[in-house]
Structures are given as structure tokens and as C-alpha cells.
Amino acid sequence: MVDQLSPLAPVLRPGRHALADHSVGVTLTETQPGSIVQLAAWRGEEGALIAAIREVAGLALPDGAGGGVSTEAKAGFGFAPGKFLVVDQDEGLAAAFAKAVAPETGTVTDLSHGRTAIRIAGPKAEWVLAKFFATDFSLPAFPLGSGISTVHHDIFAQIQRSGADEFDVYVFRSFARSFWKSLCHASEEVGYEVL
Amino acid sequence: MIITCPYCGPRDSSEFVYREEGGRIRPDQASTDQAAWNAYVYDRVNTAGEHDEIWQHSGGCRAHLRIVRNTVTHRIVSVAFARDHGRPHERRKAETPA
Ligand SMILES: [Zn+2]
């Protein structure tokens, strides 16, 4: 496969950017998945597509809007009616889905080079994300594993809760550097560490 | 203003865009009926009160929605997927006579 180049490379400054008292409220990471695949079911084919996701990725997505699963290496969630994002740290997921999803079921779009995945984790993760997005990040409104689609000005974002205080944010690659810089600025208030 | 998207749940109205008045039926593409096209393009109910509208959750799931909004109070009366019904309601002006 063609190497994936990070759009964040020129601005990524690993290390602690902590507060004066050395505290760190969030850690920021580019998770660099090998595969980011968007799947869309034709109307009435949602069940068949969810079955294909289980077969190919081994992820059992729960029913319901935004339902998802996040594991160490793989993740998937619904982000719109009949539409799902499935992510794998390994390459080759799109090719596997292209074999498993019949044209009558839906479509497979390989976004591996088109999205940048940013993980924000820590006790202040909800607080920092709430500066960007007018959505409720509290655990009851945004359960573990589930995902949402939202927007910060013109930067569309798909966000999955991968832990109690951990979120994975997927943004368009061409907007990723700008979003990353904003995210670092927004994190200065609570102290942050880039891993 | 908060709009409760049937997929995404309650979201700020800044995530949504107004598309058009609901319930408008395009004449057949092959039609040369000028009055029908004129009515389709220009005539609006322009309700003061509960108004049928097509919106899009452009900053979210991107679904098109049929929303009934009170144009006097801005209260959102109902929200549903536009695709479930094609068009919101049968509350159009009478067709312009040809
Ligand atoms: Zn929505």
C-alpha cells in the first residue's frame, strides 16, 4: 500500500505542554489507523450491512442511532441513517469489505487516506470537546462505543467515545492540521500532552 | 433554538439548514405547462403559523428532514425524516388554472 503521510507532521510537537502546576488535563494522539472505511446500506439493507461488518471486522454493532463498538485495534459506529464508519489499525479493510458487501446491499468507500484520526483522552476531554461542538458529551447522552456526526464551523467531524474519558475524532484530512492547531490551543487551558 | 434530529437527537439549530417549503410537487420534467412551472418555482404558502418545511441536518447526519415550524413563535412542532413521506403534508395552494 502507499504510505500514509500525516498532515499533522509539520505542527505535531510531542511532549508535555502542562500547566504551571505540571498537571495535564488531556492527551492528544494521532492514532493513524491503516484503514478507515465508510459503509452505506441501501434502504432496507441495514441489517445485511451490519451482518457484513460483523463478518469482516468482527464487530457486533448494537442497534440504534449512533450505536458502535470500540476495541484496541478496531472500531465501528453508525454516524447517519444506514451509514457506518469502520476503522482498523491494519490496512486492507476496504478490500475485505468490497468482497463481502454485495452491490445490492450497499456501498464501500475507502477513506483511509481521506480522514485523520485524533484521539483526545483524559479527565478534561469532554470539557475541551465541548468548546468545539454544540453537542452533549456527557456519558448518559453519549454512551461508550457510540458515535456522532457534528461540525465545528466548516470542519465536519465524526466522533466516537472509545472510553469513559476518551474520544476518537475523525476529520477531513485537508482540515486536520487546522483542527489540530485549534485543539492544542483549546487544550492549553487544562494542560495537554501530545503522545 | 434546538432541533431534535430523529437520528442525532437534540442539536443546535446552527447544524441545520433550511432547504425549502414542504409539500411542493415538481411538474413532470417533460411538461411545457408554463403556469404549472411558474407555480412550482414561485408560489409559496408563506404561512403565519405552523409551516411545513424541508430542512437538512447538514452539520450532522446530513439527512433531509420534514419539519413543522411555527413561523410566528419559531416553535418546532415536529421533526421526521423527509424520506419516510416524500413530502410533509397536503397543504398546498390550489393549482393555478392553466
Ligand atoms: Zn441528524
Side-chain angles (χ1 to χ4, degrees):
Chain A
M1 294 283 275
V2 180
D3 282 348
Q4 291 184 14
L5 294 177
S6 169
L8 307 184
V11 293
L12 198 84
R13 293 186 298 137
R16 287 169 72 90
H17 308 269
L19 296 181
D21 67 1
H22 307 293
S23 65
V24 161
V26 291
T27 59
L28 307 176
T29 325
E30 188 191 1
T31 59
Q32 298 190 295
S35 301
I36 303 174
V37 181
Q38 179 174 311
L39 301 159
W42 305 122
R43 209 169 173 196
E45 296 292 326
E46 293 85 353
L49 190 63
I50 287 172
I53 292 170
R54 185 190 305 234
E55 177 197 321
V56 172
L59 298 170
L61 301 189
D63 278 343
V69 179
S70 179
T71 70
E72 191 82 0
K74 289 176 186 165
F77 59 96
F79 66 88
K83 294 183 181 170
F84 306 87
L85 200 72
V86 182
V87 179
D88 190 345
Q89 286 306 119
D90 290 333
E91 295 181 0
L93 193 63
F97 271 118
K99 284 201 198 91
V101 177
E104 308 80 61
T105 302
T107 61
V108 178
T109 310
D110 186 357
L111 300 176
S112 306
H113 294 246
R115 298 287 182 273
T116 298
I118 295 168
R119 174 166 290 175
I120 176 166
K124 292 291 185 186
E126 284 182 19
W127 173 265
V128 171
L129 285 176
K131 296 183 186 190
F132 288 88
F133 306 105
T135 51
D136 189 347
F137 287 97
S138 67
L139 195 56
F142 196 153
L144 196 62
S146 68
I148 62 167
S149 303
T150 184
V151 67
H152 176 244
H153 293 281
D154 283 332
I155 302 183
F156 292 96
Q158 287 155 356
I159 307 174
Q160 183 177 33
R161 182 175 221 124
S162 49
D165 57 2
E166 182 178 284
F167 298 86
D168 292 333
V169 184
Y170 299 90
V171 292
F172 292 170
R173 185 185 196 283
S174 51
F175 288 145
R177 192 182 304 164
S178 166
F179 181 75
W180 175 266
K181 285 158 81 176
S182 304
L183 190 60
C184 290
H185 285 312
S187 302
E188 278 172 1
E189 181 214 0
V190 299
Y192 67 100
E193 181 169 11
V194 176
L195 297 177
Chain B
M1 190 164 81
I2 301 283
I3 297 174
T4 301
C5 170
Y7 187 87
C8 304
R11 294 293 183 91
D12 190 84
S13 64
S14 64
E15 288 193 356
F16 298 81
V17 289
Y18 174 83
R19 297 307 293 259
E20 59 178 337
E21 186 178 283
R24 301 170 59 235
I25 303 161
R26 180 153 60 182
D28 187 280
Q29 293 283 27
S31 168
T32 55
D33 182 341
Q34 293 243 17
W37 279 107
N38 187 80
Y40 173 71
V41 173
Y42 293 110
D43 288 358
R44 298 292 182 273
V45 178
N46 203 25
T47 314
E50 292 189 1
H51 188 230
D52 298 329
E53 299 174 338
I54 301 292
W55 289 63
Q56 188 187 12
H57 191 188
S58 57
C61 66
R62 303 194 64 78
H64 284 84
L65 306 172
R66 52 188 286 260
I67 290 182
V68 178
R69 180 178 63 100
N70 190 309
T71 56
V72 178
T73 64
H74 290 308
R75 191 172 88 86
I76 302 291
V77 179
S78 66
V79 186
F81 290 122
R83 70 177 190 178
D84 285 344
H85 298 270
R87 49 196 156 88
H89 290 279
E90 302 288 351
R91 280 207 298 124
R92 294 293 307 159
K93 279 180 183 169
E95 291 286 318
T96 310

